[in-house]
């Protein structure tokens, strides 16, 4: 891990804090009853190559200072990228004036003081600066793509390989005495090779993304795996319309977990825009299914010492033995629902969905055997999810499984069902766990869904 001296931030954390406190003081002088301030600096690098040649490379640097003012339930927000004193003052006054014209909302305001995190952890290891420069990024992208192109004679083209680097530093304060901030990083290597045989052409992709660049998969491994995924799709067939079991590959099964989170999140609940309304303490999944949230995993993308409002976060079981034990609430949505904040302003933290059944498949091959005959989905297309009704319809591609083994690749099909029924009809979650962003799950086997084919 490199030192902070090499982080290339223009402003230190202490300087961001001074700016934030200055805006807060100006807000109080301007008559604000409550206010919160966020000051952020971001910088990064994005580089893409295609067929060995540089296509784009961009260094980016941004900074912002934003303030939210609350007066008698009225809320005003303003933001500036200018840290000069005059610009900061104008931004504060703009937020105050906007608040004068907004409709009052009795739920608007800062979190309760007792919910704020006044002793945030600083041992989560969220920042690993990767200062490889443009030449270094080009080299990694070229190695990744070259590995894909060299995997097989049928990999003849590519949509390119990319390396992205993002470093961020922020500091927040509010009128109740909260102050806190931290540096964080995220680095990604990706590639999208194209397999061609006769007149058939299939594309696939893969990537590796981590806070700590030392934990990234090698460019060669990312490239060769992406190529193998593309090659496996050659010879795809259509299948007839039918009902059958469906197994979601672990990397895309995270989307099911994402739909569940959206369904039990504050805005969906208080607006009555969810098929899981009033689901607290009800059984939504089979008894063996659990979902845990842990914001304190060292070095993980979803880790944080507090949420976006400065509220305390903690590990918890969101679903225990199939039963929903908690929602995802900010302080505002909690007030609307007459409940207590769960520290999820800004989203969830390191979710893991798993199966407590000791007979659950230990790996993907065992999940194939458990399914017997059915559809193994490796790619989702479209956005056919109705969060109000739970109706689910997506374009997919993947493989037909026959007698517990991959038989042939399939394409141009859809799967349809209802999320509430899909959750209830989970047969098993495999131990082939994969983290996609801040969500981790193994492959998910659904008892039956409708497959729309030819």
């Amino acid at each position: 891990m490199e030192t902070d001296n090499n982080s290339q931030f223009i402003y230190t954390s202490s300087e961001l804090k001074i700016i934030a406190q200055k805006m807060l003081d100006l807000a109080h002088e301007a008559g604000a009853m409550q206010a919160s301030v966020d000051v952020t600096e971001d910088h990064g690098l994005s580089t893409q190559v295609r067929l060995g040649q540089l296509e784009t490379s961009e260094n980016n640097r941004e900074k912002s200072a934003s303030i939210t003012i609350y007066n008698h339930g009225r809320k005003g927000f303003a933001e500036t990228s200018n840290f000069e004193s005059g610009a900061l003052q104008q931004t504060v006054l703009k937020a105050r004036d906007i608040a004068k014209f907004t409709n009052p909302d009795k739920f608007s305001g800062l979190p309760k003081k007792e919910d704020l995190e006044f002793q945030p952890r600083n041992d989560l290891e969220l920042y690993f600066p990767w200062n490889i420069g443009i030449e270094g990024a080009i080299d990694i992208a070229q190695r990744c793509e070259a590995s894909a192109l060299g995997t097989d004679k049928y990999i003849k083209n590519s949509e390119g390989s990319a390396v992205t680097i993002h470093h961020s530093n922020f500091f927040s304060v509010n009128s109740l005495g909260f102050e806190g901030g931290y540096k964080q990083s995220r680095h990604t290597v990706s590639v999208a090779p194209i397999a061609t045989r006769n007149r058939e052409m299939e594309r696939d992709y893969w990537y590796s993304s981590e806070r700590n660049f030392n934990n990234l998969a090698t460019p060669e491994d990312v490239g060769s795996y992406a190529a193998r995924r593309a090659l496996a799709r050659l010879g795809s067939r259509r299948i007839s319309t039918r009902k059958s079991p469906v197994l979601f590959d672990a990397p895309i099964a995270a989307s099911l977990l994402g739909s569940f989170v959206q369904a039990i999140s504050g805005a969906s609940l208080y607006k009555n825009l969810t098929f899981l309304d009033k689901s607290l303490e009800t059984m939504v999944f089979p008894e063996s299914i659990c979902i845990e949230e842990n914001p304190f995993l060292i070095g993980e993308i979803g880790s944080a010492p507090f949420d976006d409002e400065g509220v305390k976060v903690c590990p918890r079981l969101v679903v225990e033995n199939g039963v929903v034990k908690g929602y995802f609430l900010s302080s505002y949505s909690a007030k609307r629902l007459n409940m207590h904040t769960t520290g999820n302003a800004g989203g969830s933290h390191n979710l893991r969905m798993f199966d407590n059944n000791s007979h659950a498949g230990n790996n993907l091959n065992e999940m194939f055997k458990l399914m017997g005959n059915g559809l193994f989905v490796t790619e989702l297309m479209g956005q056919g999810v109705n969060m109000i009704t739970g109706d689910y319809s997506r374009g997919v591609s993947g493989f037909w499984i026959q007698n517990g083994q991959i038989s042939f690749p399939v394409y141009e099909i859809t799967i349809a069902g209802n999320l509430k029924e899909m959750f209830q009809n989970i047969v098993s979650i495999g131990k082939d766990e994969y983290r996609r962003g801040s969500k981790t799950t193994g492959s998910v086997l659904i008892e039956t869904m409708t497959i729309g084919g030819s």
Side-chain angles (χ1 to χ4, degrees), residues 130-158:
W130 196 19
N131 301 315
I132 57 173
I134 293 176
E135 294 300 322
I138 293 173
D139 176 66
I140 290 171
Q142 287 175 332
R143 287 164 52 197
C144 184
E145 186 184 50
S147 176
L149 293 171
T151 299
D152 189 276
K153 64 180 180 180
Y154 293 120
I155 304 294
K156 300 177 181 179
N157 204 345
S158 165

PDB file of all heavy atoms in Angstrom, residues 130-158:
ATOM      1  N   TRP A 130      -3.447   4.030  -6.222  1.00  0.00           N
ATOM      2  CA  TRP A 130      -2.768   3.283  -7.294  1.00  0.00           C
ATOM      3  C   TRP A 130      -2.288   4.299  -8.314  1.00  0.00           C
ATOM      4  O   TRP A 130      -3.005   4.686  -9.220  1.00  0.00           O
ATOM      5  CB  TRP A 130      -3.740   2.289  -7.914  1.00  0.00           C
ATOM      6  CG  TRP A 130      -3.094   1.219  -8.747  1.00  0.00           C
ATOM      7  CD1 TRP A 130      -1.802   0.818  -8.733  1.00  0.00           C
ATOM      8  CD2 TRP A 130      -3.761   0.398  -9.715  1.00  0.00           C
ATOM      9  NE1 TRP A 130      -1.605  -0.201  -9.627  1.00  0.00           N
ATOM     10  CE2 TRP A 130      -2.792  -0.484 -10.236  1.00  0.00           C
ATOM     11  CE3 TRP A 130      -5.072   0.319 -10.188  1.00  0.00           C
ATOM     12  CZ2 TRP A 130      -3.099  -1.427 -11.223  1.00  0.00           C
ATOM     13  CZ3 TRP A 130      -5.378  -0.622 -11.144  1.00  0.00           C
ATOM     14  CH2 TRP A 130      -4.401  -1.479 -11.664  1.00  0.00           C
ATOM     15  N   ASN A 131      -1.059   4.724  -8.161  1.00  0.00           N
ATOM     16  CA  ASN A 131      -0.533   5.808  -8.995  1.00  0.00           C
ATOM     17  C   ASN A 131       0.338   5.247 -10.118  1.00  0.00           C
ATOM     18  O   ASN A 131       1.545   5.472 -10.179  1.00  0.00           O
ATOM     19  CB  ASN A 131       0.253   6.796  -8.124  1.00  0.00           C
ATOM     20  CG  ASN A 131      -0.613   7.383  -7.024  1.00  0.00           C
ATOM     21  OD1 ASN A 131      -1.751   7.779  -7.271  1.00  0.00           O
ATOM     22  ND2 ASN A 131      -0.102   7.403  -5.809  1.00  0.00           N
ATOM     23  N   ILE A 132      -0.286   4.511 -11.019  1.00  0.00           N
ATOM     24  CA  ILE A 132       0.460   3.861 -12.096  1.00  0.00           C
ATOM     25  C   ILE A 132       0.649   4.764 -13.302  1.00  0.00           C
ATOM     26  O   ILE A 132       1.471   4.479 -14.171  1.00  0.00           O
ATOM     27  CB  ILE A 132      -0.221   2.555 -12.531  1.00  0.00           C
ATOM     28  CG1 ILE A 132      -1.671   2.832 -12.967  1.00  0.00           C
ATOM     29  CG2 ILE A 132      -0.167   1.532 -11.429  1.00  0.00           C
ATOM     30  CD1 ILE A 132      -2.345   1.616 -13.579  1.00  0.00           C
ATOM     31  N   GLY A 133      -0.129   5.859 -13.383  1.00  0.00           N
ATOM     32  CA  GLY A 133       0.001   6.758 -14.523  1.00  0.00           C
ATOM     33  C   GLY A 133      -0.618   6.179 -15.787  1.00  0.00           C
ATOM     34  O   GLY A 133      -1.012   5.017 -15.849  1.00  0.00           O
ATOM     35  N   ILE A 134      -0.674   7.017 -16.813  1.00  0.00           N
ATOM     36  CA  ILE A 134      -1.304   6.613 -18.068  1.00  0.00           C
ATOM     37  C   ILE A 134      -0.566   5.455 -18.716  1.00  0.00           C
ATOM     38  O   ILE A 134      -1.175   4.480 -19.180  1.00  0.00           O
ATOM     39  CB  ILE A 134      -1.396   7.812 -19.031  1.00  0.00           C
ATOM     40  CG1 ILE A 134      -2.371   8.857 -18.474  1.00  0.00           C
ATOM     41  CG2 ILE A 134      -1.833   7.365 -20.424  1.00  0.00           C
ATOM     42  CD1 ILE A 134      -2.460  10.114 -19.295  1.00  0.00           C
ATOM     43  N   GLU A 135       0.767   5.521 -18.748  1.00  0.00           N
ATOM     44  CA  GLU A 135       1.534   4.448 -19.391  1.00  0.00           C
ATOM     45  C   GLU A 135       1.318   3.109 -18.697  1.00  0.00           C
ATOM     46  O   GLU A 135       1.191   2.060 -19.343  1.00  0.00           O
ATOM     47  CB  GLU A 135       3.026   4.806 -19.413  1.00  0.00           C
ATOM     48  CG  GLU A 135       3.361   6.005 -20.290  1.00  0.00           C
ATOM     49  CD  GLU A 135       2.963   5.781 -21.740  1.00  0.00           C
ATOM     50  OE1 GLU A 135       3.114   4.643 -22.222  1.00  0.00           O
ATOM     51  OE2 GLU A 135       2.488   6.735 -22.376  1.00  0.00           O
ATOM     52  N   GLY A 136       1.281   3.137 -17.378  1.00  0.00           N
ATOM     53  CA  GLY A 136       1.036   1.908 -16.640  1.00  0.00           C
ATOM     54  C   GLY A 136      -0.349   1.348 -16.901  1.00  0.00           C
ATOM     55  O   GLY A 136      -0.528   0.128 -17.030  1.00  0.00           O
ATOM     56  N   ALA A 137      -1.362   2.237 -16.963  1.00  0.00           N
ATOM     57  CA  ALA A 137      -2.725   1.798 -17.231  1.00  0.00           C
ATOM     58  C   ALA A 137      -2.839   1.209 -18.639  1.00  0.00           C
ATOM     59  O   ALA A 137      -3.516   0.196 -18.846  1.00  0.00           O
ATOM     60  CB  ALA A 137      -3.694   2.960 -17.062  1.00  0.00           C
ATOM     61  N   ILE A 138      -2.181   1.830 -19.610  1.00  0.00           N
ATOM     62  CA  ILE A 138      -2.202   1.318 -20.986  1.00  0.00           C
ATOM     63  C   ILE A 138      -1.596  -0.075 -21.039  1.00  0.00           C
ATOM     64  O   ILE A 138      -2.131  -0.989 -21.679  1.00  0.00           O
ATOM     65  CB  ILE A 138      -1.449   2.278 -21.929  1.00  0.00           C
ATOM     66  CG1 ILE A 138      -2.208   3.605 -22.059  1.00  0.00           C
ATOM     67  CG2 ILE A 138      -1.247   1.648 -23.302  1.00  0.00           C
ATOM     68  CD1 ILE A 138      -1.441   4.663 -22.832  1.00  0.00           C
ATOM     69  N   ASP A 139      -0.485  -0.255 -20.340  1.00  0.00           N
ATOM     70  CA  ASP A 139       0.187  -1.554 -20.339  1.00  0.00           C
ATOM     71  C   ASP A 139      -0.718  -2.640 -19.775  1.00  0.00           C
ATOM     72  O   ASP A 139      -0.806  -3.744 -20.343  1.00  0.00           O
ATOM     73  CB  ASP A 139       1.473  -1.459 -19.519  1.00  0.00           C
ATOM     74  CG  ASP A 139       2.178  -2.807 -19.387  1.00  0.00           C
ATOM     75  OD1 ASP A 139       2.639  -3.330 -20.420  1.00  0.00           O
ATOM     76  OD2 ASP A 139       2.252  -3.334 -18.269  1.00  0.00           O
ATOM     77  N   ILE A 140      -1.407  -2.353 -18.677  1.00  0.00           N
ATOM     78  CA  ILE A 140      -2.289  -3.347 -18.066  1.00  0.00           C
ATOM     79  C   ILE A 140      -3.455  -3.679 -18.996  1.00  0.00           C
ATOM     80  O   ILE A 140      -3.802  -4.848 -19.189  1.00  0.00           O
ATOM     81  CB  ILE A 140      -2.792  -2.843 -16.704  1.00  0.00           C
ATOM     82  CG1 ILE A 140      -1.636  -2.822 -15.702  1.00  0.00           C
ATOM     83  CG2 ILE A 140      -3.935  -3.700 -16.180  1.00  0.00           C
ATOM     84  CD1 ILE A 140      -1.960  -2.150 -14.395  1.00  0.00           C
ATOM     85  N   ALA A 141      -4.049  -2.649 -19.600  1.00  0.00           N
ATOM     86  CA  ALA A 141      -5.162  -2.880 -20.524  1.00  0.00           C
ATOM     87  C   ALA A 141      -4.711  -3.690 -21.728  1.00  0.00           C
ATOM     88  O   ALA A 141      -5.426  -4.598 -22.190  1.00  0.00           O
ATOM     89  CB  ALA A 141      -5.763  -1.550 -20.963  1.00  0.00           C
ATOM     90  N   GLN A 142      -3.545  -3.397 -22.262  1.00  0.00           N
ATOM     91  CA  GLN A 142      -3.032  -4.146 -23.405  1.00  0.00           C
ATOM     92  C   GLN A 142      -2.758  -5.598 -23.046  1.00  0.00           C
ATOM     93  O   GLN A 142      -3.066  -6.511 -23.823  1.00  0.00           O
ATOM     94  CB  GLN A 142      -1.756  -3.479 -23.930  1.00  0.00           C
ATOM     95  CG  GLN A 142      -1.996  -2.173 -24.666  1.00  0.00           C
ATOM     96  CD  GLN A 142      -0.703  -1.484 -25.064  1.00  0.00           C
ATOM     97  OE1 GLN A 142       0.326  -1.646 -24.397  1.00  0.00           O
ATOM     98  NE2 GLN A 142      -0.747  -0.701 -26.137  1.00  0.00           N
ATOM     99  N   ARG A 143      -2.197  -5.839 -21.871  1.00  0.00           N
ATOM    100  CA  ARG A 143      -1.940  -7.211 -21.432  1.00  0.00           C
ATOM    101  C   ARG A 143      -3.240  -7.994 -21.271  1.00  0.00           C
ATOM    102  O   ARG A 143      -3.323  -9.178 -21.633  1.00  0.00           O
ATOM    103  CB  ARG A 143      -1.168  -7.202 -20.114  1.00  0.00           C
ATOM    104  CG  ARG A 143       0.298  -6.803 -20.236  1.00  0.00           C
ATOM    105  CD  ARG A 143       0.881  -6.433 -18.879  1.00  0.00           C
ATOM    106  NE  ARG A 143       0.644  -7.461 -17.862  1.00  0.00           N
ATOM    107  CZ  ARG A 143       0.759  -7.228 -16.555  1.00  0.00           C
ATOM    108  NH1 ARG A 143       1.079  -6.014 -16.110  1.00  0.00           N
ATOM    109  NH2 ARG A 143       0.547  -8.206 -15.696  1.00  0.00           N
ATOM    110  N   CYS A 144      -4.257  -7.328 -20.740  1.00  0.00           N
ATOM    111  CA  CYS A 144      -5.546  -7.975 -20.534  1.00  0.00           C
ATOM    112  C   CYS A 144      -6.162  -8.375 -21.872  1.00  0.00           C
ATOM    113  O   CYS A 144      -6.601  -9.521 -22.056  1.00  0.00           O
ATOM    114  CB  CYS A 144      -6.473  -7.030 -19.773  1.00  0.00           C
ATOM    115  SG  CYS A 144      -8.077  -7.735 -19.339  1.00  0.00           S
ATOM    116  N   GLU A 145      -6.190  -7.447 -22.809  1.00  0.00           N
ATOM    117  CA  GLU A 145      -6.778  -7.746 -24.120  1.00  0.00           C
ATOM    118  C   GLU A 145      -5.950  -8.775 -24.876  1.00  0.00           C
ATOM    119  O   GLU A 145      -6.504  -9.674 -25.529  1.00  0.00           O
ATOM    120  CB  GLU A 145      -6.911  -6.466 -24.939  1.00  0.00           C
ATOM    121  CG  GLU A 145      -7.653  -6.687 -26.255  1.00  0.00           C
ATOM    122  CD  GLU A 145      -7.699  -5.442 -27.099  1.00  0.00           C
ATOM    123  OE1 GLU A 145      -6.635  -4.821 -27.311  1.00  0.00           O
ATOM    124  OE2 GLU A 145      -8.789  -5.090 -27.571  1.00  0.00           O
ATOM    125  N   ALA A 146      -4.622  -8.659 -24.794  1.00  0.00           N
ATOM    126  CA  ALA A 146      -3.758  -9.614 -25.489  1.00  0.00           C
ATOM    127  C   ALA A 146      -3.984 -11.026 -24.970  1.00  0.00           C
ATOM    128  O   ALA A 146      -3.960 -11.999 -25.733  1.00  0.00           O
ATOM    129  CB  ALA A 146      -2.293  -9.213 -25.329  1.00  0.00           C
ATOM    130  N   SER A 147      -4.209 -11.158 -23.668  1.00  0.00           N
ATOM    131  CA  SER A 147      -4.487 -12.460 -23.095  1.00  0.00           C
ATOM    132  C   SER A 147      -5.776 -13.035 -23.655  1.00  0.00           C
ATOM    133  O   SER A 147      -5.858 -14.230 -23.975  1.00  0.00           O
ATOM    134  CB  SER A 147      -4.567 -12.358 -21.571  1.00  0.00           C
ATOM    135  OG  SER A 147      -4.925 -13.597 -20.997  1.00  0.00           O
ATOM    136  N   ALA A 148      -6.803 -12.177 -23.783  1.00  0.00           N
ATOM    137  CA  ALA A 148      -8.071 -12.633 -24.356  1.00  0.00           C
ATOM    138  C   ALA A 148      -7.888 -13.067 -25.803  1.00  0.00           C
ATOM    139  O   ALA A 148      -8.338 -14.155 -26.210  1.00  0.00           O
ATOM    140  CB  ALA A 148      -9.117 -11.527 -24.263  1.00  0.00           C
ATOM    141  N   LEU A 149      -7.209 -12.251 -26.605  1.00  0.00           N
ATOM    142  CA  LEU A 149      -7.024 -12.546 -28.024  1.00  0.00           C
ATOM    143  C   LEU A 149      -6.149 -13.771 -28.240  1.00  0.00           C
ATOM    144  O   LEU A 149      -6.257 -14.457 -29.260  1.00  0.00           O
ATOM    145  CB  LEU A 149      -6.433 -11.336 -28.734  1.00  0.00           C
ATOM    146  CG  LEU A 149      -7.342 -10.101 -28.825  1.00  0.00           C
ATOM    147  CD1 LEU A 149      -6.563  -8.898 -29.342  1.00  0.00           C
ATOM    148  CD2 LEU A 149      -8.550 -10.379 -29.714  1.00  0.00           C
ATOM    149  N   GLY A 150      -5.278 -14.061 -27.303  1.00  0.00           N
ATOM    150  CA  GLY A 150      -4.381 -15.196 -27.451  1.00  0.00           C
ATOM    151  C   GLY A 150      -4.919 -16.498 -26.898  1.00  0.00           C
ATOM    152  O   GLY A 150      -4.246 -17.534 -26.962  1.00  0.00           O
ATOM    153  N   THR A 151      -6.133 -16.475 -26.357  1.00  0.00           N
ATOM    154  CA  THR A 151      -6.693 -17.670 -25.734  1.00  0.00           C
ATOM    155  C   THR A 151      -7.059 -18.742 -26.755  1.00  0.00           C
ATOM    156  O   THR A 151      -6.865 -19.936 -26.524  1.00  0.00           O
ATOM    157  CB  THR A 151      -7.938 -17.304 -24.899  1.00  0.00           C
ATOM    158  OG1 THR A 151      -7.554 -16.405 -23.863  1.00  0.00           O
ATOM    159  CG2 THR A 151      -8.580 -18.537 -24.281  1.00  0.00           C
ATOM    160  N   ASP A 152      -7.578 -18.321 -27.902  1.00  0.00           N
ATOM    161  CA  ASP A 152      -8.057 -19.287 -28.894  1.00  0.00           C
ATOM    162  C   ASP A 152      -8.108 -18.622 -30.264  1.00  0.00           C
ATOM    163  O   ASP A 152      -8.288 -17.404 -30.353  1.00  0.00           O
ATOM    164  CB  ASP A 152      -9.454 -19.780 -28.489  1.00  0.00           C
ATOM    165  CG  ASP A 152      -9.938 -20.941 -29.335  1.00  0.00           C
ATOM    166  OD1 ASP A 152     -10.491 -20.687 -30.431  1.00  0.00           O
ATOM    167  OD2 ASP A 152      -9.776 -22.096 -28.910  1.00  0.00           O
ATOM    168  N   LYS A 153      -7.987 -19.413 -31.308  1.00  0.00           N
ATOM    169  CA  LYS A 153      -7.996 -18.873 -32.671  1.00  0.00           C
ATOM    170  C   LYS A 153      -9.327 -18.240 -33.031  1.00  0.00           C
ATOM    171  O   LYS A 153      -9.406 -17.427 -33.967  1.00  0.00           O
ATOM    172  CB  LYS A 153      -7.657 -19.964 -33.675  1.00  0.00           C
ATOM    173  CG  LYS A 153      -8.680 -21.102 -33.745  1.00  0.00           C
ATOM    174  CD  LYS A 153      -8.269 -22.148 -34.770  1.00  0.00           C
ATOM    175  CE  LYS A 153      -9.304 -23.287 -34.848  1.00  0.00           C
ATOM    176  NZ  LYS A 153      -8.914 -24.298 -35.845  1.00  0.00           N
ATOM    177  N   TYR A 154     -10.395 -18.623 -32.317  1.00  0.00           N
ATOM    178  CA  TYR A 154     -11.705 -18.054 -32.631  1.00  0.00           C
ATOM    179  C   TYR A 154     -11.942 -16.693 -31.963  1.00  0.00           C
ATOM    180  O   TYR A 154     -12.942 -16.048 -32.227  1.00  0.00           O
ATOM    181  CB  TYR A 154     -12.813 -19.030 -32.225  1.00  0.00           C
ATOM    182  CG  TYR A 154     -12.814 -20.301 -33.048  1.00  0.00           C
ATOM    183  CD1 TYR A 154     -12.647 -21.535 -32.436  1.00  0.00           C
ATOM    184  CD2 TYR A 154     -12.970 -20.263 -34.436  1.00  0.00           C
ATOM    185  CE1 TYR A 154     -12.647 -22.714 -33.177  1.00  0.00           C
ATOM    186  CE2 TYR A 154     -12.963 -21.423 -35.190  1.00  0.00           C
ATOM    187  CZ  TYR A 154     -12.800 -22.644 -34.560  1.00  0.00           C
ATOM    188  OH  TYR A 154     -12.789 -23.797 -35.304  1.00  0.00           O
ATOM    189  N   ILE A 155     -11.063 -16.277 -31.076  1.00  0.00           N
ATOM    190  CA  ILE A 155     -11.149 -14.918 -30.526  1.00  0.00           C
ATOM    191  C   ILE A 155     -10.395 -14.003 -31.480  1.00  0.00           C
ATOM    192  O   ILE A 155      -9.170 -13.885 -31.418  1.00  0.00           O
ATOM    193  CB  ILE A 155     -10.563 -14.836 -29.103  1.00  0.00           C
ATOM    194  CG1 ILE A 155     -11.253 -15.823 -28.174  1.00  0.00           C
ATOM    195  CG2 ILE A 155     -10.692 -13.414 -28.547  1.00  0.00           C
ATOM    196  CD1 ILE A 155     -12.716 -15.516 -27.904  1.00  0.00           C
ATOM    197  N   LYS A 156     -11.136 -13.362 -32.367  1.00  0.00           N
ATOM    198  CA  LYS A 156     -10.520 -12.589 -33.433  1.00  0.00           C
ATOM    199  C   LYS A 156     -10.727 -11.094 -33.300  1.00  0.00           C
ATOM    200  O   LYS A 156     -10.172 -10.316 -34.073  1.00  0.00           O
ATOM    201  CB  LYS A 156     -11.079 -13.047 -34.791  1.00  0.00           C
ATOM    202  CG  LYS A 156     -10.823 -14.521 -35.095  1.00  0.00           C
ATOM    203  CD  LYS A 156     -11.464 -14.933 -36.410  1.00  0.00           C
ATOM    204  CE  LYS A 156     -11.226 -16.409 -36.700  1.00  0.00           C
ATOM    205  NZ  LYS A 156     -11.858 -16.832 -37.973  1.00  0.00           N
ATOM    206  N   ASN A 157     -11.558 -10.683 -32.357  1.00  0.00           N
ATOM    207  CA  ASN A 157     -11.862  -9.258 -32.246  1.00  0.00           C
ATOM    208  C   ASN A 157     -12.145  -8.918 -30.782  1.00  0.00           C
ATOM    209  O   ASN A 157     -12.221  -9.795 -29.925  1.00  0.00           O
ATOM    210  CB  ASN A 157     -13.071  -8.913 -33.123  1.00  0.00           C
ATOM    211  CG  ASN A 157     -13.100  -7.453 -33.527  1.00  0.00           C
ATOM    212  OD1 ASN A 157     -12.391  -6.623 -32.954  1.00  0.00           O
ATOM    213  ND2 ASN A 157     -13.906  -7.125 -34.524  1.00  0.00           N
ATOM    214  N   SER A 158     -12.293  -7.646 -30.541  1.00  0.00           N
ATOM    215  CA  SER A 158     -12.510  -7.191 -29.172  1.00  0.00           C
ATOM    216  C   SER A 158     -13.196  -5.833 -29.184  1.00  0.00           C
ATOM    217  O   SER A 158     -12.972  -5.027 -30.088  1.00  0.00           O
ATOM    218  CB  SER A 158     -11.163  -7.083 -28.438  1.00  0.00           C
ATOM    219  OG  SER A 158     -11.273  -6.337 -27.247  1.00  0.00           O
TER     220      SER A 158
END
